[in-house]
Amino acid sequence: SSQRIDSAGGRYVESAVMTTVPQYGIRVPMLLGGREAPALAALLERLFGKRIADAFRAPFVLGDAAALRTLCADGDIAEASVVRRQGTVRFASIDALVSTERACVWTLGGLLDDAQFERLRREAQSTFLPFVDASGMVAFAMPALLITAAKR
């Protein structure tokens, strides 16, 4: 659970895959929420308001395996298997983390303009400094829920 990860000192920011991935189909990770996600959401809300922060939060509500199984069943994927795996997500820098968010056109990439992303990049430097190692790399423990299902 996220509480076990937190109590062990783990860090992670949630994310989600919003479409099928070539070669993997629908067997792609649904990443769980973490205590660092609110840091980015709070920064977005402070800089750009609640609407932008809520757009960032919206895709990340599937961190509960039971809820994800129910969603699959409701979507006629009744025999879906949901398995939790532990991993790590790494970014070369805070700038790389922000660039990744910019590429997500269904959330921030579709809402913020160039000037807003530049402001986010600048502000993120201090917000995420506690999560940067000596080399400048950002790394979070990243548990994932993997859905496996067969197409009929």
Side-chain angles (χ1 to χ4, degrees):
S1 78
S2 62
Q3 291 171 338
R4 279 183 40 198
I5 294 165
D6 287 342
S7 68
R11 294 181 178 162
Y12 54 98
V13 174
E14 67 185 324
S15 187
V17 174
M18 303 300 291
T19 187
T20 59
V21 176
Q23 178 183 356
Y24 300 104
I26 62 172
R27 188 174 181 230
V28 294
M30 298 297 297
L31 302 175
L32 303 178
R35 66 180 183 221
E36 279 74 20
L40 181 53
L43 176 61
L44 289 167
E45 190 158 342
R46 180 171 59 83
L47 295 177
F48 309 116
K50 185 171 175 15
R51 183 179 70 85
I52 299 296
D54 285 348
F56 169 76
R57 293 177 185 112
F60 310 126
V61 297
L62 297 175
D64 179 277
L68 192 52
R69 279 188 202 92
T70 299
L71 183 64
C72 288
D74 291 349
D76 204 25
I77 310 173
E79 296 180 26
S81 167
V82 179
V83 178
R84 184 182 314 265
R85 296 281 188 254
Q86 185 65 34
T88 302
V89 64
R90 292 179 178 85
F91 297 94
S93 64
I94 293 172
D95 285 350
L97 186 153
V98 172
S99 292
T100 300
E101 289 303 323
R102 186 175 196 157
C104 296
V105 296
W106 57 86
T107 58
L108 299 183
L111 296 173
L112 301 180
D113 62 27
D114 290 344
Q116 290 172 313
F117 265 108
E118 177 55 26
R119 185 174 177 205
L120 175 61
R121 187 195 65 73
R122 284 192 317 267
E123 294 286 333
Q125 301 304 313
S126 59
T127 299
F128 285 95
L129 191 59
F131 313 119
V132 177
D133 69 16
S135 72
M137 180 171 275
V138 179
F140 304 121
M142 184 64 81
L145 293 178
L146 300 177
I147 303 170
T148 304
K151 186 175 180 180
R152 294 179 188 224

